[in-house]
Amino acid sequence: MVTTEQETRSSSASADEEFALRVEDLKVYYGTPRGTVKAVDGVSFNLKQGERFALVGESGSGKSTLAMAIMRLTREPGHIAGGHIYLNGRDVVDMPEREIRSIRLREMALVPQGAMNSLNPVMRVGDQIIDGILDHVMTDESPPSKSELDERIHELLIRVGLDPNVARLHPHELSGGMKQRVAMAIAISLDPNIIVADEPTSALDVVVQRQIMQTLGRLQEGLEAAVLLVGHDMGLVAQFADTIGVMYAGKLVEVGSVPDVFKDPKHPYTQLLIESLPSFDISRKFVGIPGMQPALLNLPPGCSFNPRCPSVHERCFREVPAFLPIDGRGVACHLYDGETSGVPPLAGEMSEGQRGAAN
Amino acid sequence: MARATGTRNLTMGTRARLARRRWGVFYQERVEPIFLYGRRNPSLIVGLAMLGTLLLFTIIGLFGYAQLEPHTNDPSQNSRLDAFVSGGAPVGDKRLPPSWCTWCEDIAELEGDKKPTLFQYPMGTDTQSRDLLATNLRGIPLTLGTGLIAGLLSVGIGTVTAFVAAYYRGLPDVAIRLLTDVGISIPGLLVLIIIRIQLGTELLWWQLGAGLAAVGWVFSSRTVRSQVLVLREQPYVEIARQSGMSGLAIIFREMMPNLIPYITASFVASVAGAILASIGLEALGLGDFSSPSLGMTVYWVIQFGAITLGMWWWWLFPLIFIVIIFVSLFLISAGLDEWSNPRLRRQV
Amino acid sequence: MGDDSLATSSNSRRNPALTGRQNPVLTFISAFFGNFIVQRFLLFLLTVWVAATVIFILPRLTGQDPVKEKLLLEAQRGGSVQAGMNEMAQEYSARLGLDLPIQEQYINYITDLARLDFGYSIAYFPRTVNEIILDSIVWSIGLMTVTLFLAFVLGTGAGALLGWSRSPGWLSYAFMPLLTLSAIPQYMLGLVLMFIFAIILNWLPFFGAYSPGNLPEWSLGFVLDVLRHAILPALAILFSAVGFWAIGMRGMMVNTQGEDFMIQADAKGLNGTRIFVRYAIRNALLPQVTGLAISFGTLLTGAVLVEVLFQYPGLGNTLFYAIRVSDFFQITGIVMTIIISLAMATMIVDLVYPLIDPRVKYTQS
């Protein structure tokens, strides 16, 4: 279950212990010649040990940027502009490079995007699995022997559903799905308690996507790790996650358990996202979301979703909605903060985005 | 039709306002991005600025300094440029360091009206008292011209062969690929030496450029061909082909725009390579002896032992010009690389 | 990037070695005698043949025969060399057969080339071109191979550090000097070095390979003398070539750091040194090695001019003097020797490349 912002703020230090990952008001900005792009702008959420949290949103909503920031892998021209990321109780935002390096793989691991060439093309798969292990040998430990390492490679490859002989191959000899399994073998090689999976199934075919998600689920259960899954496929994500967070234009607009959100989406954007899912049960016209996501450089005043929102109010053009806890969930929308409740939306005046979509 | 009438009915004021607005849009869409791009790609800007400054210096020099009165009363001399061609006219009685070098021995010795004004011959003279600034001013365009001819021809031949190879595949492709593979491992300069020797005549600057292109086009062909091969497999080219677009139309409308950065980069590289080779060829004594190109100056420097004579001004200034040419061409090609491959976000 | 004749095995082609363990030596040997080697050797022969043919045909297209003219001129001039020149003229007629049809001339020419027989020198008549080449090539090999190899190692190392985003900041100041060094032609750099170290400071000799009057022998004094003479020309080649390789490697490092696997290496929390060596350098080196094959020619011709500048008695200087006296046979011999050595070096690089890039196999595409 997700605790909302207010509750987090009031929580005591002991609360840190029970959360594997606590993200607090995180801001990741990109400096570009045209101005600052606020890719992630004040996002907060918590992840319990063993929880599967999925982050969904359109491309460009900042979800991958958020995932990379949690791994502290933000690259120039991006930088973490504010906020905190508590990993097992320790803030990684200002952690020295040496420490963050020892935490990666040991405490948190990344399963990269499926479309990426995340394996070193000139190294054998086995060597790429063990170099992470070798580099995390503590100074007071003796390095593992050759046979121990071989055994470890063997075991890890079997756990991700690969033939152990794959260890001797080079990445170009593997299919996309196999590569992604190798990436998972690397990710679990030191039993981390947080796995960040950044669109792990992108660019894979549908059958392989399902297999990969099943494997990821199996591994998560084995490790009892918390998983942060980033994706844009609501359907795929819903089958995997316990909790879902919806991002729009750099902000988290809704958080809740998967059944709650799918049964009763609060934010108009979430509503539209769920409505746009194809379904076998109800035969209806395919609905999309009108308009385009605004450019992050040039966000509309007020709520970023106002150009596309079907229930837009006059307030939405002035005030940025705060993230509110309701019914154990959270939503950032003026519809739920009391003042707007009951006021009919501006139906007569179509916003520009809707007009564009209607034409 | 309706639109044309509409335009005619516009008042002058509206038209001016529209024009202003159009300019505003033009500025925003076309001009501003260049500045923004320049900030992201400083090597291109610095390289172009360096080359531009050198060209400006040469032009001002050729139409300014070089047109000044010659250092001599010889009536056959119309300007300082002639000094070289007619075999030299004495300024003093010997080689002289730059006139501003008042502490140099040879200048300090001069007395009375023989003492030069500060900028009389700013780059000194060679052993035959030829004005070296005038020589260099003529040499820069000659050397750049050789490179330009070679670059244009290389890229022209290279692009056409690359398209023929990639488009027609089969036998032409095999033949051209083999030819470029072979050509790349033959040092063109050496082949040119042989040809030049057997021809027995001196090569003029543009003939030298053409000769360099004849051995240098293989590099352009290789670069462009590998890129055409990538483009050929792109979905939009495939769609264009299936929708019945003609071969030439595909090449020019679909592929060319994506190839321009590579072709430009290849052109810059060819120019640089040709200039390097031409200077080398001339330094070996295979250039045009009546032309004062930078390479020939290097030849004379070696021939007359300018180093051992302590005549630093004879080789230092051409060296500076050569370095400016190569550094600016390198920066431009690095900038073009960034342009064609924006993933190299970091400046080179 | 890679040579087109090297096949890049695609994702779709699975490795058959998934199940059994294969002897790597056997795999290597069977690959070694696969057809890539043979093909690469044929390409080498083709390269030499094309070069020789171009040299033969192009001048004849002009209809002039300056060689014959030169020989006749020398013969007419008479004097001490006249007897030799008459023989030369006969030799020339016999070899290239001025009166023979062109195809027979060509066959003679190619046969001689295949036997590496370049005939007699015009300038030093009774001596053969091969004798002259043998005398001078030792000096060239000593000077050029050592410096060009050193330059590749040093330049690649420097470029790797320069292009590495975690290198100390002050290192970036080395970029402009290196760029300038690579932009200065080797012989121009030689001029500057000669001026500073030989003329102004008078520390080192500025011409020759050993002091005049010193006879070549195996003694410590002579070896030191040779080394002293080699320093300046070697530095001229080295500096410029180091800059060239450093700039190239720096670009490749920047490219490589944009690759996905570099992010993943960071995400694995790997040691900085391991990421630098095994991930960044290892991958950035591949195009650098391909570039080695292509750049040999340019670097070598530059080195030829450095020899001329320092009057170093290698192939380059010999070529320069042969050009000055229009000794055609000698020029052809030296140029063909350089072309053959270059083609061989390129072939060796191409053959070694599959060993360092697992994606490229010894098979035909």
Side-chain angles (χ1 to χ4, degrees):
Chain A
M1 178 73 11
V2 161
T3 331
T4 53
E5 200 176 16
Q6 263 84 12
E7 285 171 72
T8 315
R9 289 230 172 95
S10 61
S11 66
S12 62
S14 66
D16 287 344
E17 308 302 325
E18 59 180 291
F19 292 121
L21 177 69
R22 203 149 69 76
V23 175
E24 217 174 76
D25 197 26
L26 185 66
K27 296 185 168 104
V28 185
Y29 294 171
Y30 287 88
T32 73
R34 284 173 184 273
T36 307
V37 172
K38 300 177 175 180
V40 174
D41 195 16
V43 168
S44 305
F45 64 88
N46 301 319
L47 226 74
K48 275 187 195 152
Q49 197 55 55
E51 185 178 344
R52 295 173 173 186
F53 181 74
L55 211 51
V56 294
E58 291 166 71
S59 34
S61 60
K63 52 191 196 310
S64 280
T65 305
L66 178 60
M68 293 315 263
I70 288 168
M71 294 293 299
R72 262 279 301 275
L73 286 172
T74 308
R75 293 218 170 172
E76 286 293 321
H79 61 281
I80 297 179
H84 300 280
I85 301 163
Y86 295 101
L87 198 89
N88 298 321
R90 274 172 304 163
D91 191 351
V92 299
V93 167
D94 294 316
M95 200 176 259
E97 195 59 37
R98 270 182 83 87
E99 261 179 81
I100 191 83
R101 185 177 79 71
S102 73
I103 282 182
R104 287 182 194 141
L105 209 63
R106 193 180 275 280
E107 291 182 27
M108 60 173 168
L110 178 74
V111 177
Q113 292 194 2
M116 283 192 156
N117 297 313
S118 58
L119 298 174
N120 185 350
V122 294
M123 267 170 90
R124 289 178 199 279
V125 165
D127 295 336
Q128 303 199 46
I129 294 176
I130 57 171
D131 64 3
I133 300 174
L134 286 174
D135 276 3
H136 284 83
V137 174
M138 296 287 188
T139 40
D140 53 340
E141 291 170 358
S142 61
S145 69
K146 178 89 180 69
S147 60
E148 279 170 344
L149 286 172
D150 281 344
E151 231 170 85
R152 187 95 179 110
I153 296 171
H154 190 95
E155 178 228 315
L156 285 168
L157 287 174
I158 287 179
R159 263 167 80 190
V160 296
L162 283 175
D163 187 311
N165 285 316
V166 165
R168 283 183 294 106
L169 299 185
H170 284 101
H172 71 273
E173 294 165 304
L174 307 177
S175 68
M178 289 165 89
K179 278 189 225 172
Q180 207 54 353
R181 283 175 193 276
V182 172
M184 285 195 284
I186 293 172
I188 60 166
S189 59
L190 288 173
D191 305 333
N193 66 339
I194 296 162
I195 297 175
V196 178
D198 181 12
E199 305 207 30
T201 58
S202 60
L204 299 179
D205 67 59
V206 186
V207 180
V208 180
Q209 281 188 1
R210 285 187 65 95
Q211 292 170 348
I212 293 286
M213 290 315 291
Q214 278 164 4
T215 311
L216 187 61
R218 207 157 33 79
L219 296 173
Q220 184 268 338
E221 276 161 18
L223 293 169
E224 290 179 12
V227 171
L228 173 71
L229 173 71
V230 173
H232 55 256
D233 183 340
M234 287 284 273
L236 199 73
V237 153
Q239 289 170 20
F240 177 85
D242 310 318
T243 321
I244 190 165
V246 181
M247 279 193 82
Y248 187 79
K251 290 193 169 66
L252 205 52
V253 294
E254 179 158 7
V255 175
S257 73
V258 168
D260 285 355
V261 170
F262 272 80
K263 210 188 305 153
D264 176 24
K266 299 281 188 197
H267 197 283
Y269 177 62
T270 321
Q271 291 166 3
L272 285 167
L273 268 185
I274 290 169
E275 267 175 47
S276 67
L277 285 178
S279 153
F280 281 122
D281 308 333
I282 318 150
S283 175
R284 57 178 159 82
K285 213 171 161 224
F286 185 77
V287 194
I289 304 178
M292 297 265 288
Q293 181 171 246
L296 287 173
L297 255 174
N298 195 357
L299 286 176
C303 173
S304 305
F305 192 55
N306 67 37
R308 303 166 77 181
C309 185
S311 6
V312 67
H313 286 69
E314 189 258 331
R315 270 184 77 198
C316 303
F317 294 100
R318 284 186 284 114
E319 286 170 50
V320 179
F323 194 81
L324 302 168
I326 37 163
D327 312 335
R329 302 162 53 181
V331 65
C333 181
H334 289 308
L335 289 175
Y336 305 96
D337 59 6
E339 289 174 48
T340 323
S341 318
V343 182
L346 304 168
E349 241 181 85
M350 262 181 143
S351 62
E352 210 170 300
Q354 280 167 310
R355 242 196 319 274
N359 286 343
Chain B
M1 191 62 206
R3 224 160 104 209
T5 340
T7 320
R8 210 175 299 139
N9 290 342
L10 287 175
T11 63
M12 285 303 284
T14 325
R15 211 171 278 175
R17 214 164 37 241
L18 265 181
R20 254 204 309 280
R21 209 180 133 198
R22 221 172 278 149
W23 164 246
V25 170
F26 176 78
Y27 178 83
Q28 246 180 2
E29 287 181 356
R30 303 274 155 180
V31 183
E32 206 184 1
I34 295 178
F35 288 128
L36 286 172
Y37 188 72
R39 222 187 301 170
R40 213 182 67 209
N41 193 350
S43 25
L44 186 64
I45 305 298
V46 173
L48 286 172
M50 276 172 77
L51 197 61
T53 314
L54 182 70
L55 285 177
L56 202 67
F57 168 80
T58 314
I59 291 168
I60 293 177
L62 278 177
F63 291 97
Y65 179 81
Q67 305 300 325
L68 294 177
E69 268 186 34
H71 303 298
T72 163
N73 300 327
D74 184 342
S76 70
Q77 309 248 327
N78 296 318
S79 76
R80 293 187 181 189
L81 285 180
D82 293 334
F84 189 91
V85 186
S86 64
V91 180
D93 43 356
K94 55 179 174 176
R95 63 202 165 84
L96 287 170
S99 47
W100 44 263
C101 183
T102 47
W103 62 92
C104 293
E105 232 176 275
D106 297 306
I107 298 272
E109 278 172 9
L110 294 175
E111 300 274 331
D113 59 344
K114 284 210 163 185
K115 196 146 194 110
T117 57
L118 217 48
F119 294 107
Q120 200 170 335
Y121 36 93
M123 289 189 182
T125 72
D126 65 10
T127 42
Q128 287 161 293
S129 296
R130 283 176 290 212
D131 184 322
L132 283 172
L133 174 56
T135 307
N136 285 329
L137 283 174
R138 283 192 62 190
I140 294 168
L142 280 171
T143 299
L144 285 177
T146 304
L148 198 68
I149 296 261
L152 284 175
L153 285 176
S154 297
V155 167
I157 304 172
T159 308
V160 170
T161 49
F163 272 120
V164 168
Y167 197 79
Y168 294 98
R169 314 185 192 206
L171 197 62
D173 186 20
V174 173
I176 288 169
R177 200 185 77 197
L178 217 55
L179 205 58
T180 53
D181 278 356
V182 165
I184 275 169
S185 41
I186 300 176
L189 189 71
L190 295 179
V191 176
L192 274 185
I193 289 176
I194 301 265
I195 294 172
R196 157 68 184 75
I197 290 282
Q198 302 228 359
L199 281 178
T201 52
E202 284 167 18
L203 293 174
L204 299 178
W205 64 274
W206 60 269
Q207 292 169 325
L208 187 57
L212 288 165
V215 292
W217 65 272
V218 287
F219 291 93
S220 306
S221 179
R222 198 179 154 106
T223 314
V224 179
R225 180 177 162 273
S226 67
Q227 209 48 43
V228 173
L229 286 184
V230 172
L231 284 180
R232 199 179 63 185
E233 305 306 324
Q234 295 296 307
Y236 61 85
V237 172
E238 189 53 42
I239 287 169
R241 197 185 350 249
Q242 283 173 9
S243 63
M245 212 178 201
S246 80
L248 278 180
I250 292 177
I251 287 175
F252 284 103
R253 278 200 225 134
E254 306 288 328
M255 291 168 117
M256 250 335 182
N258 296 294
L259 278 173
I260 296 284
Y262 295 92
I263 293 177
T264 324
S266 173
F267 169 71
V268 176
S270 302
V271 172
I275 291 179
L276 182 67
S278 78
I279 295 176
L281 216 51
E282 289 170 336
L284 277 175
L286 295 172
D288 174 6
F289 281 75
S290 62
S291 120
S293 65
L294 294 180
M296 283 317 293
T297 307
V298 175
Y299 175 73
W300 295 122
V301 161
I302 297 177
Q303 280 301 296
F304 281 86
I307 302 263
T308 36
L309 290 175
M311 295 171 69
W312 51 270
W313 58 90
W314 199 352
W315 53 267
L316 183 65
F317 297 111
L319 175 74
I320 291 173
F321 294 132
I322 290 173
V323 169
I324 290 178
I325 291 174
F326 283 117
V327 170
S328 65
L329 287 178
F330 175 84
L331 289 175
I332 291 172
S333 77
L336 289 171
D337 220 27
E338 217 267 5
W339 180 34
S340 58
N341 185 7
R343 203 171 50 162
L344 299 169
R345 279 286 179 242
R346 284 177 34 172
Q347 63 194 55
V348 177
Chain C
M1 185 194 75
D3 198 305
D4 294 304
S5 57
L6 306 175
T8 307
S9 58
S10 65
N11 275 342
S12 55
R13 214 179 306 151
R14 294 286 167 282
N15 192 310
L18 251 180
T19 39
R21 193 171 267 272
Q22 271 192 353
N23 186 341
V25 178
L26 273 180
T27 319
F28 178 73
I29 289 177
S30 70
F32 196 83
F33 291 103
N35 57 13
F36 174 65
I37 310 275
V38 178
Q39 282 185 343
R40 192 55 193 80
F41 185 69
L42 288 177
L43 186 67
F44 161 74
L45 290 183
L46 186 70
T47 307
V48 176
W49 175 69
V50 167
T53 307
V54 167
I55 289 170
F56 179 83
I57 290 178
L58 278 186
R60 278 166 182 75
L61 291 179
T62 62
Q64 293 172 328
D65 193 349
V67 182
K68 186 179 167 192
E69 284 161 22
K70 161 90 178 169
L71 283 172
L72 291 176
L73 191 76
E74 293 279 339
Q76 281 165 8
R77 222 180 255 164
S80 58
V81 285
Q82 179 166 19
M85 275 311 132
N86 280 332
E87 281 174 46
M88 258 323 283
Q90 284 164 13
E91 170 77 15
Y92 181 74
S93 304
R95 287 171 66 85
L96 288 174
L98 298 175
D99 313 317
L100 293 174
I102 189 145
Q103 62 270 26
E104 280 180 46
Q105 288 183 35
Y106 179 67
I107 291 170
N108 287 346
Y109 167 77
I110 290 290
T111 339
D112 283 344
L113 178 68
R115 289 185 287 128
L116 290 179
D117 176 4
F118 299 113
Y120 290 97
S121 155
I122 298 177
Y124 310 95
F125 169 58
R127 297 196 73 193
T128 63
V129 171
N130 283 1
E131 284 167 6
I132 296 171
I133 290 178
L134 275 181
D135 277 354
S136 55
I137 202 169
V138 186
W139 295 106
S140 286
I141 290 177
L143 181 68
M144 291 184 195
T145 48
V146 173
T147 45
L148 289 179
F149 173 75
L150 256 182
F152 181 76
V153 174
L154 293 177
T156 304
L161 285 171
L162 270 178
W164 184 234
S165 54
R166 290 176 220 172
S167 289
W170 53 263
L171 214 67
S172 59
Y173 292 110
F175 178 61
M176 252 349 253
L178 275 175
L179 170 62
T180 319
L181 280 184
S182 76
I184 307 179
Q186 295 166 348
Y187 40 94
M188 297 302 279
L189 204 61
L191 276 176
V192 179
L193 290 175
M194 189 193 268
F195 181 67
I196 296 175
F197 293 100
I199 307 296
I200 295 190
L201 297 174
N202 203 10
W203 286 354
L204 293 163
F206 60 86
F207 74 95
Y210 48 87
S211 304
N214 220 347
L215 286 176
E217 52 174 356
W218 284 111
S219 70
L220 183 67
F222 182 72
V223 170
L224 285 179
D225 190 44
V226 166
L227 287 179
R228 256 168 59 82
H229 280 79
I231 290 176
L232 284 183
L235 282 184
I237 301 172
L238 197 65
F239 277 154
S240 171
V242 161
F244 174 83
W245 293 118
I247 302 300
M249 184 64 176
R250 180 180 178 275
M252 285 309 145
M253 285 294 280
V254 173
N255 262 352
T256 307
Q257 283 171 91
E259 297 278 355
D260 300 335
F261 61 78
M262 292 301 290
I263 300 175
Q264 190 60 13
D266 260 338
K268 280 160 82 176
L270 295 181
N271 193 321
T273 320
R274 188 192 294 274
I275 300 182
F276 181 53
V277 178
R278 299 293 302 272
Y279 284 72
I281 293 188
R282 184 66 176 71
N283 280 284
L285 202 60
L286 299 177
Q288 192 81 345
V289 173
T290 328
L292 187 65
I294 296 177
S295 314
F296 267 144
T298 321
L299 291 174
L300 200 83
T301 34
V304 162
L305 286 156
V306 170
E307 286 192 352
V308 175
L309 179 68
F310 286 95
Q311 296 172 46
Y312 202 81
L315 273 187
N317 203 35
T318 313
L319 176 66
F320 178 67
Y321 280 104
I323 290 173
R324 287 186 67 175
V325 298
S326 301
D327 187 341
F328 305 104
F329 295 152
Q330 209 183 323
I331 296 170
T332 312
I334 294 174
V335 166
M336 281 315 295
T337 306
I338 298 179
I339 288 176
I340 292 171
S341 346
L342 267 180
M344 241 188 237
T346 317
M347 176 171 70
I348 291 170
V349 170
D350 277 354
L351 290 181
V352 169
Y353 190 77
L355 298 181
I356 62 167
D357 189 345
R359 285 164 294 185
V360 176
K361 298 254 180 277
Y362 286 104
T363 46
Q364 235 281 307
S365 51

